[in-house]
Amino acid sequence: MREFPRGRHPRTGQAAAPPWRSALPWRSSLVLAVVQLVGTQAAAHGQPERVGLGLLGRALLVAGPALLLARHRHPRLAVLGTAAVTALYLGAGYPYGPVFLSLVVACFAAVAAGRRVAAWSALAGLWAVHLLIAHWLHRWLPPAGDGPAAWWPEAAVAAWAVAVVAASELVRVRREQWARERAEREAAERRRADEERLRIARELHDVLAHSISVINIQAGVGLALLDQDPEQARTALTTIKAASKEALGEVRQVLDTLRAPGAAPRSPAPGLDRLAELTGQARDAGLAVTVETEGVRTALPPGADLAAFRIVQEALTNVVRHSGSRTARVLLRYAPGALELRVDDDGPATADGMPRAMTGGGNGLVGMPRAMTGGGNGLVGMRERAAALGGTVAAGPRPDGGFRVHARLPLAAATVTGTAPGTPHQTPPGGATREAP
């Protein structure tokens, strides 16, 4: 079953309505109705000149909170309706009191929902009705004998209306800000989840592609030499066991990060310090690798160290699987603030897409023809690893034949470990390390 982020509609994936819109707000409306009834009844004792509250007056006091039940789903109807009910109440000559609370709440809801014109129109209309009743229509409306009101309180009424509108706008802006922040957090969470899935996919691809390639080749060697050279077949099976054990360990480490994202990994991530081990595995697969180091050797940041190892690993895996060459050259160049990697092989490229036997001694390497398009998940993964660090990867055939992978990884806060500039560090065929004179 597909899961959607919190706050999303399960069918459309659109942003769901806030929780405060999910049901009728009957609790707050009921409380407001009680406050208006009780408060107006208490205020009526000090206004004997006004019309006494009867059944119609109490019905009007309840009608406003009843209309507020629709303020989330139909804010325009709620604010205009409460304004009309309040105008009828004032026109009937009933006592002044908290009858205006319904209009205030409806105005807040309308502005928060983006119905500003309706809210402003309701307030302006009620104020206009109050002016007409208090200064011109009072002689025809109850209570009998009521005279015109003073003009100075009208400024207070206008200030009250402006304050209600300003507070409503403040609430609207704050709610929009909360909604925007919530959407940004959800987008950031989805982006982090996508990046984590991409990282895990790259790790699994690099681990499995390299190890399974070695296992596949050694299995072919073991089958071919099982009767002719049992000892060599035994060596191939030993290599298969070691490669599968290492692959299981690295896959388990990746899966552990899925089960406990916040926990530290049980074993350190591989880096260039395991390059000799990597060339040894390539040797077991029938590929002789020469490693040279130029520049001042530096301790790499963990991310760059892992990316460098994986890029070399993937490049050698592609040589084993897709190249006709049985030799490869790896160059590590420590430039100021950057590490350059170059992996070359001289093997011919074929386009028939069929496996072929690699003759010429050794372990009887079985290879696969290499696609010359530069595509595939391996090269894409290299580029993604480098891009995550601000670097680049270029891969393609060389003009003189063969294939080259060239990567440049920026380094931050690298520390010198002490090899003299320009001193080559070589790994001869078979993976043994020696310092060049």
Side-chain angles (χ1 to χ4, degrees), residues 334-352:
Y334 291 88
L339 171 66
E340 294 187 14
L341 306 170
R342 197 176 71 195
V343 181
D344 290 276
D345 71 275
D346 300 323
T350 59
D352 54 3

Side-chain angles (χ1 to χ4, degrees), residues 75-306:
R76 184 186 291 109
L77 172 64
V79 71
L80 295 177
T82 53
V85 168
T86 306
L88 289 175
Y89 180 89
L90 296 178
Y94 293 118
Y96 293 102
V99 64
F100 301 99
L101 292 179
S102 296
L103 180 60
V104 172
V105 174
C107 182
F108 270 78
V111 173
R115 303 293 190 267
R116 303 181 193 170
V117 175
W120 298 342
S121 300
L123 285 173
L126 181 61
W127 186 50
V129 169
H130 177 266
L131 286 176
L132 290 174
I133 293 174
H135 298 281
W136 290 286
L137 300 179
H138 58 85
R139 59 178 60 93
W140 297 288
L141 296 175
D146 191 18
W151 281 98
W152 66 266
E154 301 303 332
V157 175
W160 172 82
V162 171
V164 170
V165 172
S168 303
E169 289 289 343
L170 182 62
V171 171
R172 179 191 63 82
V173 170
R174 187 56 181 163
R175 279 185 174 174
E176 289 181 354
Q177 182 180 357
W178 287 339
R180 185 167 55 252
E181 291 174 354
R182 183 173 60 249
E184 291 174 354
R185 286 195 300 270
E186 292 176 355
E189 290 174 1
R190 291 194 299 271
R191 185 167 58 253
R192 285 193 296 268
D194 292 340
E195 291 173 353
E196 184 65 12
R197 283 194 294 267
L198 182 60
R199 183 190 68 82
I200 292 172
R202 282 198 303 262
E203 288 293 318
L204 290 177
H205 173 272
D206 291 347
V207 171
L208 296 178
H210 173 74
S211 300
I212 291 179
S213 295
V214 173
I215 291 172
N216 178 63
I217 291 171
Q218 294 301 319
V221 171
L223 288 175
L225 301 178
L226 184 61
D227 296 328
Q228 302 174 7
D229 191 346
E231 189 61 30
Q232 188 66 33
R234 185 188 302 275
T235 302
L237 293 176
T238 302
T239 303
I240 290 174
K241 179 180 179 180
S244 60
K245 181 180 179 180
E246 179 185 2
L248 287 174
E250 295 198 32
V251 169
R252 188 178 295 112
Q253 180 180 352
V254 173
L255 296 179
D256 285 343
T257 62
L258 288 176
R259 298 190 182 97
R266 297 180 181 179
S267 58
L272 290 181
D273 57 340
R274 292 179 53 183
L275 192 56
E277 178 183 342
L278 184 62
T279 57
Q281 294 175 353
R283 174 202 60 197
D284 294 336
L287 181 67
V289 182
T290 300
V291 179
E292 295 183 0
T293 302
E294 295 181 359
V296 180
R297 295 180 63 184
T298 57
L300 305 179
D305 202 15
L306 174 61

